[in-house]
Amino acid sequence: MHDELTAVDIRKMQEEIDYRENVLMPQIIREVQRARGFGDLSENYEYKAAKDEQRRNRSRIRYLKQMVASAVVIEDHSQSGEIGLFDRVKLHMEDEDEDMDIRLVTTLRQNPLKGLISKESPLGQALLGHRAGERVYVKISGEEGYWCSILSVEKGEDDENLEISRY
């Protein structure tokens, strides 16, 4: 199995790995050592908290390294007017009779609350390759789904300011 990520995704993950290994890990180790000096470890909250932080940091490093190792680098090859990766799309959600602005991103940078929708989500998959003026059926599961109309498409680029997901 592999993850489809952009070169920017991979660079951002590597930057986080470097920060966690070279800056954060030494700080956490110092905090563990400091807290250990408080005495009885069975009732030492500071020590337990520092060890928990150390475990979370190591877990995140392992996760990011696995993502980088299994990544397949992708680029947007959509034609002019077609919906592709990083494009801003204005939709009309027919069931709710309301408009919605979204941006298609890689799974690593999705944040539905901010309108950042994964290209691998049902909505993202349904929209890729379509154009403004088209009506698209978004299949959720089995017979379930909904219709939306594409009102406009604004070509986008891989924005380095989009954060990668924390977990």
Side-chain angles (χ1 to χ4, degrees), residues 25-87:
M25 186 61 82
Q27 291 173 356
I28 294 170
I29 289 170
R30 282 191 299 276
E31 180 59 23
V32 168
Q33 291 169 345
R34 186 186 71 77
R36 182 180 286 144
F38 293 155
D40 184 7
L41 297 183
S42 65
E43 295 183 18
N44 186 334
Y45 173 78
E46 288 84 2
Y47 177 75
K48 289 178 183 178
K51 290 298 281 183
D52 285 345
E53 182 61 27
Q54 188 177 46
R55 279 189 287 279
R56 279 192 297 275
N57 190 53
R58 286 181 177 153
S59 175
R60 179 67 175 176
I61 291 169
R62 279 191 307 275
Y63 169 78
L64 292 170
K65 285 183 174 183
Q66 178 59 37
M67 291 284 287
V68 169
S70 66
V72 171
V73 179
I74 60 169
E75 294 178 6
D76 179 42
H77 297 292
S78 62
Q79 302 298 315
S80 178
E82 284 183 350
I83 297 174
L85 195 56
F86 301 109
D87 291 351

Side-chain angles (χ1 to χ4, degrees), residues 117-136:
I117 306 298
S118 168
K119 70 177 191 61
E120 296 174 8
S121 69
L123 179 58
Q125 289 178 356
L127 292 175
L128 283 172
H130 287 277
R131 298 173 178 274
E134 293 183 359
R135 186 172 180 239
V136 177

